[in-house]
Amino acid sequence: MTTIKLHNTRTRTKEDFVPISADNVRMYVCGPTVYDRAHLGNARPVVVFDVLYRLLRHTYGADHVTYVRNFTDVDDKINATALARQQAGAEGTLEQLVQERSNETIGWYLHDMGALGALEPNEMPRATQYIAQMIAMIEALIAKGHAYAAEGHVLFAVDSWKEHYGELSGRSVDDMIAGARVEVAPYKKNPMDFVLWKPSTDELPGWDSPWGRGRPGWHIECSAMSYELLGESFDIHGGGNDLMFPHHENEIAQSKCAHPHGEFAKVWLHNEMLQVEGKKMSKSLGNFFTVHDLLEQGVPGEVIRFVFLQTHYRKPMDWTEKKAREAEATLRKWRAQTAGFEPAANAAPAVIAALSDDLNTAGALAELYRLAADGNAAGLLASAQLLGLLIPEMGEWADTTSADLSLHADRLADARAIAMQSKDFSEVDRLKAAYLAAGLEVRMSKDGVELVPGAGFDAAKLEEV
Ligand SMILES: [Zn+2]
């Protein structure tokens, strides 16, 4: 069995991964808050941890890995949408409209991430289904002296865990107070104390609790759900590095204090952020887009995945149109090369070795290029599929055969020949415009006409020409 090495944020070293139990390797990844479509940056951890999930399944067996990713469906923005819909005349109670909005965005999320070739985790708990477990955990924290109730809130007392708080991100409590956007509130004993439970107003969703009607803080969700589904010690906890502080520090504080005999997560993995054309993605810069936007523009999910895999997860990754075009050309070539082949029994050892070295996906892709250059179609197929590429169901976008395109090229050539006689080029112009709109490059010369698929090529549009 290949030894997997992973960079553990907690120890700041690359370590041999040794699961607590090889029979059930357990991984928890912080999932999305489901208030709207996922933007492209949200998709990065999904693809990163999907690759790890696939590698773990390959190494330990598909039935010996449990992957949990939550949905945070307690959120002010979800409530705001529900309230706006109610005010616009939508039927149903506010609670129903909140749930409707969550269901809608969860459906979008699963569709969009599925389009990127991400396998669904074994468990996808929703926060609202674990409120009782969160209340129980908060009660345990109060009983152990790690939390206190004040003015309808319950707060975690950071001073009760001061010697360990900040260990993951490598900061002291004093540094954090100086640097963080700490919400100062009169009921807090220490400004760093964070919310486990807060009151709900009448028009907001809320649950009965020993501290009145209210709702959980965000951090306690992950502690309660990971405990319920994976136990007090599990193998891997993942997420974007923007979650390291305060979210992951707070998860550790809650979980270790509520279950002092447990280890919580042994290995912490954090992915770096995503940029677009060298800039941070933001609504104000006008470079903000969702996965859905890209799919609608005709960028295949497989192409997005390929671009992501070109950058190591611990490095910032830059999304560019140029990369997407090149990825599309490569995948189109590989799909043509492997058409009609069955995958080899195993992925190439060099591909497994690269992935096992702290998920060196760029190294794994380099091996795929080598297999393609060697003409090893079966090996290329098996190895690419371990990375979630060249999966048959994801290849519809590349389906148009060159025979179809040459028929269209002949049609354009014929129209041109007729136009040369009649001097009426309107049909030629119409065809050219239609092929361009389908994402084809139109090359016309004395020798003939060639149609070359470009980025965003959409075969379905050819049917209407
Ligand atoms: Zn979390």
Side-chain angles (χ1 to χ4, degrees):
M1 192 188 284
T2 325
T3 302
I4 299 173
K5 287 178 186 292
L6 296 172
H7 182 273
N8 188 350
T9 309
R10 193 167 61 81
T11 58
R12 288 163 184 76
T13 49
K14 193 151 84 173
E15 301 171 346
D16 287 355
F17 174 67
V18 184
I20 298 167
S21 161
D23 276 343
N24 184 17
V25 181
R26 286 160 288 166
M27 173 164 79
Y28 186 94
V29 174
C30 294
T33 304
V34 286
Y35 65 90
D36 209 346
R37 291 263 185 201
H39 65 66
L40 192 63
N42 298 143
R44 191 171 188 202
V46 175
V47 172
V48 165
F49 292 105
D50 182 64
V51 171
L52 179 54
Y53 182 42
R54 287 173 185 270
L55 177 65
L56 292 171
R57 284 161 61 101
H58 173 85
T59 307
Y60 296 97
D63 297 336
H64 300 286
V65 184
T66 306
Y67 173 19
V68 178
R69 186 184 64 212
N70 68 296
F71 287 115
T72 292
D73 56 353
V74 180
D75 180 70
D76 287 342
K77 293 193 199 100
I78 303 173
N79 300 337
T81 304
L83 196 61
R85 284 179 177 180
Q86 192 176 54
Q87 283 162 353
E91 276 180 42
T93 64
L94 189 63
E95 221 141 74
Q96 285 165 337
L97 292 170
V98 164
Q99 197 170 37
E100 192 181 286
R101 178 61 174 169
S102 300
N103 289 342
E104 177 179 84
T105 47
I106 286 172
W108 289 340
Y109 185 83
L110 293 178
H111 171 270
D112 293 350
M113 299 307 128
L116 304 184
L119 300 171
E120 287 193 1
N122 305 89
E123 303 273 0
M124 295 188 281
R126 299 185 187 196
T128 50
Q129 294 164 342
Y130 288 82
I131 301 289
Q133 290 86 343
M134 293 178 210
I135 290 175
M137 197 172 208
I138 296 169
E139 286 182 309
L141 287 170
I142 295 175
K144 291 184 163 87
H146 290 293
Y148 58 95
E151 297 182 31
H153 292 72
V154 181
L155 293 130
F156 185 91
V158 166
D159 287 331
S160 75
W161 179 248
K162 192 167 181 168
E163 63 275 30
H164 298 294
Y165 194 68
E167 274 177 357
L168 180 71
S169 53
R171 318 164 193 223
S172 72
V173 173
D174 294 336
D175 286 350
M176 287 186 274
I177 291 176
R181 291 164 296 172
V182 177
E183 195 195 338
V184 181
Y187 47 79
K188 283 188 180 181
K189 291 181 181 167
N190 177 323
M192 289 304 293
D193 292 351
F194 56 88
V195 165
L196 302 173
W197 189 264
K198 57 191 167 191
S200 277
T201 52
D202 286 345
E203 66 278 5
L204 285 173
W207 292 265
D208 290 330
S209 81
W211 318 287
R213 187 174 172 278
R215 56 210 165 110
W218 169 39
H219 315 298
I220 195 74
E221 294 179 7
C222 287
S223 284
M225 290 187 282
S226 62
Y227 175 70
E228 283 299 313
L229 296 167
L230 298 176
E232 62 181 16
S233 305
F234 57 92
D235 298 293
I236 299 170
H237 193 310
N241 66 356
D242 55 334
L243 297 182
M244 203 187 299
F245 175 80
H247 183 55
H248 290 161
E249 291 288 1
N250 293 354
E251 279 190 39
I252 293 171
Q254 296 161 160
S255 295
K256 298 270 276 190
C257 290
H259 307 289
H261 302 297
E263 222 182 324
F264 193 39
K266 276 181 71 181
V267 180
W268 283 84
L269 251 62
H270 289 96
N271 64 277
E272 256 288 353
M273 297 292 100
L274 174 136
Q275 300 184 318
V276 174
E277 309 284 349
K279 294 198 181 76
K280 190 173 184 234
M281 185 155 89
S282 82
K283 284 191 171 144
S284 60
L285 285 173
N287 64 354
F288 181 94
F289 50 87
T290 64
V291 173
H292 178 73
D293 291 336
L294 278 185
L295 296 173
E296 285 289 290
Q297 286 161 25
V299 181
E302 187 178 30
V303 168
I304 301 173
R305 185 179 182 96
F306 189 102
V307 173
F308 279 17
L309 297 181
Q310 287 176 316
T311 304
H312 190 258
Y313 74 94
R314 295 183 60 224
K315 293 191 180 129
M317 91 139 275
D318 194 20
W319 171 267
T320 68
E321 273 184 35
K322 182 167 176 279
K323 283 186 188 173
R325 272 197 306 274
E326 288 166 359
E328 187 168 333
T330 300
L331 284 167
R332 197 179 288 283
K333 214 162 76 185
W334 289 355
R335 282 204 172 266
Q337 188 180 351
T338 55
F341 282 87
E342 285 297 315
N346 288 302
V351 172
I352 297 169
L355 291 180
S356 300
D357 182 14
D358 195 27
L359 303 181
N360 179 4
T361 50
L365 287 181
E367 293 297 333
L368 298 191
Y369 280 103
R370 204 159 300 160
L371 291 164
D374 291 348
N376 184 349
L380 172 61
L381 205 49
S383 303
Q385 288 181 352
L386 179 61
L387 282 160
L389 297 169
L390 304 188
I391 307 282
E393 309 83 72
M394 286 177 72
E396 222 173 275
W397 65 274
D399 263 359
T400 306
T401 61
S402 46
D404 288 335
L405 289 180
S406 73
L407 283 178
H408 282 280
D410 288 348
R411 193 170 153 193
L412 183 54
D414 291 347
R416 182 172 64 166
I418 294 166
M420 299 288 244
Q421 303 294 323
S422 67
K423 305 292 175 208
D424 175 4
F425 284 85
S426 55
E427 176 63 4
V428 174
D429 292 341
R430 189 189 72 81
L431 287 173
K432 263 174 77 176
Y435 293 140
L436 288 172
L440 289 168
E441 194 188 318
V442 181
R443 294 180 188 162
M444 297 177 86
S445 70
K446 282 202 303 275
D447 303 328
V449 175
E450 205 186 347
L451 299 174
V452 184
F457 170 61
D458 183 357
K461 288 190 180 152
L462 286 181
E463 286 162 23
E464 298 147 26
V465 178

